[in-house]
Amino acid sequence: MAQPDSKKIFFENLSGAGKAIAVLTSGGDAQGMNGAVRAVVRMGLYVGAKVYFIHEGYQGMVDGGDNIKEATWESVSSMLQLGGTVIGSARCKEFRTHEGRLKAAHNLVQHGITNLCVIGGDGSLTGANLFKEEWSGLLNELVEQGLIEADAVQKYSALHIVGMVGSIDNDFCGTDMTIGTDSALHRIIEVVDAIMTTAQSHQRTFVLEVMGRHCGYLALVSGLACGADWVLIPEMPPEDGWEEKMCQKLSATRSRGTRLNIIIVAEGAIDRHGKPITSSFVKDLVVKCLGFDTRVTILGHVQRGGTPSAFDRILASRMGVEAVLALLETTANTPACVVSLCGNTSVRVPLMECVQMTQEVQKAMDQKRFEEAVKLRGRSFENNLKTYKLLAHRKPESELPTSNFNVAVLNVGAPAAGMNAAVRSAVRVGISEGHKMFAVSDGFEGFYKGQIKEVKWGDVGGWTGQGGSLLGTKRTLPAKHVEKIAEQMRKHNINALLIIGGFEAFESLLQLYEARANYEEFCIPMCMLPATISNNVPGTDLSIGADTALNAIVETCDRIKQSASGTKRRVFIIETMGGYCGYLATVGGLASGADAAYIYEEPFDIKELQANVEHLTEKMKTSIQRGLVLRNENCNENYTTDFIYQLYSEEGRGVFDCRKNVLGHMQQGGAPSPFDRNFGTKISAKAMQWVSKKLVETFRQGRVFANTEDSCCLLGMRRRTLVFQPVVQLKDETDFVHRIPKEQWWLKLRPLMKILAKYKTSYDVSDSGQLEHVVHNRPKDSDASVAM
């Protein structure tokens, strides 16, 4: 598929010649930092700049010597999958002094470094900004002391700073996600899932303490992702009397037959008066008031450990490349900026605006302006909190509105991890809105057979962590059974439909829309949520289930590459799923450091295959020990996985040997990732609120009647916003033969993958270069962050 031609940068004219870029990691470590370092080094070398590591953060910059080393392409090999930071991180008191910064400036000038890429938290980035502001004065002092020549002041007149936020707490304003947060959520959810099995065996209550001294993001999102009974965070302390309310909630949950309770406490949790709420206090409270068998688990530094998730590897790689572009485009008057994530888009925001807003959050919390603190955290945090409150706290029957509407929810197509979280969210939000919720088993096949039953609040308890589809799902399309489905809708008086699924769900909704002409039963609000590992549904950048599949691919590739450690040079040919959509192969390739990824959307021939083999052969003659090639299952009917395996085996003889692996349905199984649980939960809640609104709007003379295009929509993520789009309008955007959208955003990531694999290629920067203000870079009317 063709990429837009506007403002492309080509290898020949994107020049960093004569520039020196240094990269350092500072403050606490976070999974994904190594991916960012790798991207900075390789993109820097790609454009012709000299790139340096600064080991041990600012301490290494102050100490100089061997702490500042020139980086090579090979020096960042095999680090993408490593947790922590390979170049080290240290807190440095000396850099906070003028003398320390003077030493650091001297060490940088000695290496000709005037471009700094700083990966750290707000303290590290604030220090970098101060360093930038003092730079010219520091150089003048060095001249006066005779440490540098006078002409160096002119030659190195400006220090350019670009930051990336590495922090598991996601506590930095101006970005939806910081590097490391998703991986930390993976660690938390792994523990919660393990604890749930033992807790159910013994009917226990578990109190989990997670990191977040000043920010409750990890506690909030993990609570949302596991369906916790109670969450305590510093930004929104519970109302006075919370102790009794919490115990009542736990008791009511147990009385309905639930065998376990989960309470998540952020380490910085406080009450309305600023008094700390500790995990041990919560445990003692539950034991004293309810007598429940209660245990405390403090996760601690487990959350910082382990390999980075697929999301963090991709985020770090995209941000690292964007950081180098930002450094190349800076002038003496450009303010220090931070490369951030807004929705699904990389943006640049002024560093100090972000720092000031982050400090305002703490100020608001100190002054007990908690509602304001939540708003200042950003739309991502605010929407997570709203969704958690909506789903976790069941209102008494007497307080629920009575709408007299019946809403049916069903899964269509292949199973995708996160479907169950979406169903749970839909059911509970629907009940909160006063509707009767009906679950349809086995998709439209179950629909026409009458497999429809009312589902209650408690029926979907514990669904968030379950993989597959608990409702059952089939690929059957409704067209052949329209009459029987209409009959079932009359029988159960269904007033609205929520369909969760992949391309078959999209086709189904189009068929139901067309059936409105003959059957009034389908003149009701209908909404679809994209849920497919292939991520091939038009109208959305992301689908529920794709992140879980990517993590399965990346974990398997890590293990496969590890199996070759200590052996001779080896190349692995891996086949991924996805139908004709190359999303999993491309993004999985980027996340696992692949050398090539073959997809249907980017046709290739024998010459390109030959060139790839030669390229890999050259790399293997250096220090590279392992190669990785991904192939989408339907990328080419003749160049099969076996063919590519045999070609590489033959052409690489004497240099490397080959192995192949077809990943198959393991990409579709397993427990959903935190991202998919959260994404499914949030977009499903939003969809049900849309359904409620449409039901009220279309209720006339005692019945619901909706036949306009905008009453039959797909809810999708488009760049920065969640958008309801009439499915009829998406027809022209769709290649129905190959079951893919005609335009796919992730194709822009392919050049990035090639650059990081040492290929010469063009790179589209039509979305880059704009410096945005942090207060303005979030859409006002829509949830900008489903990026968790």
Side-chain angles (χ1 to χ4, degrees), residues 310-322:
F311 183 98
D312 273 329
R313 298 184 196 196
I314 297 156
L315 177 66
S317 298
R318 289 175 71 182
M319 285 186 166
V321 168
E322 183 69 23

Side-chain angles (χ1 to χ4, degrees), residues 162-165 175 319 322-323 326 337-341 346-349:
V162 172
M164 286 181 274
V165 190
T175 185
M319 285 186 166
E322 183 69 23
C337 73
V338 176
V339 178
S340 300
L341 184 73
S346 294
V347 297
R348 301 174 195 172
V349 287

Side-chain angles (χ1 to χ4, degrees), residues 31-155:
Q31 307 98 317
M33 279 183 165
N34 289 323
V37 170
R38 171 181 176 268
V40 169
V41 169
R42 291 196 166 175
M43 187 63 179
L45 293 173
Y46 177 87
V47 299
K50 274 190 172 183
V51 186
Y52 292 86
F53 293 134
I54 299 180
H55 292 270
E56 309 305 333
Y58 285 118
Q59 190 65 57
M61 196 191 296
V62 172
D63 294 343
D66 289 341
N67 288 304
I68 302 176
K69 288 183 181 175
E70 191 169 350
T72 64
W73 194 274
E74 289 74 23
S75 61
V76 292
S77 295
S78 302
M79 69 188 289
L80 184 60
Q81 69 271 24
L82 300 177
T85 166
V86 168
I87 60 174
S89 181
R91 303 191 188 277
C92 178
K93 289 183 179 178
E94 198 173 353
F95 189 74
R96 295 177 185 175
T97 67
H98 183 78
E99 291 73 18
R101 292 191 291 277
L102 191 65
K103 286 182 188 176
H106 185 217
N107 289 326
L108 293 187
V109 169
Q110 283 183 314
H111 291 87
I113 297 167
T114 55
N115 297 280
L116 270 186
C117 184
V118 181
I119 309 166
D122 61 335
S124 303
L125 297 175
T126 304
N129 190 69
L130 177 62
F131 193 38
K132 172 184 167 66
E133 289 174 351
E134 291 182 348
W135 182 255
S136 59
L138 293 171
L139 294 194
N140 287 327
E141 280 188 58
L142 291 171
V143 171
E144 288 170 14
Q145 293 177 18
L147 294 172
I148 61 173
E149 298 296 326
D151 62 352
V153 176
Q154 185 65 33
K155 189 176 179 183

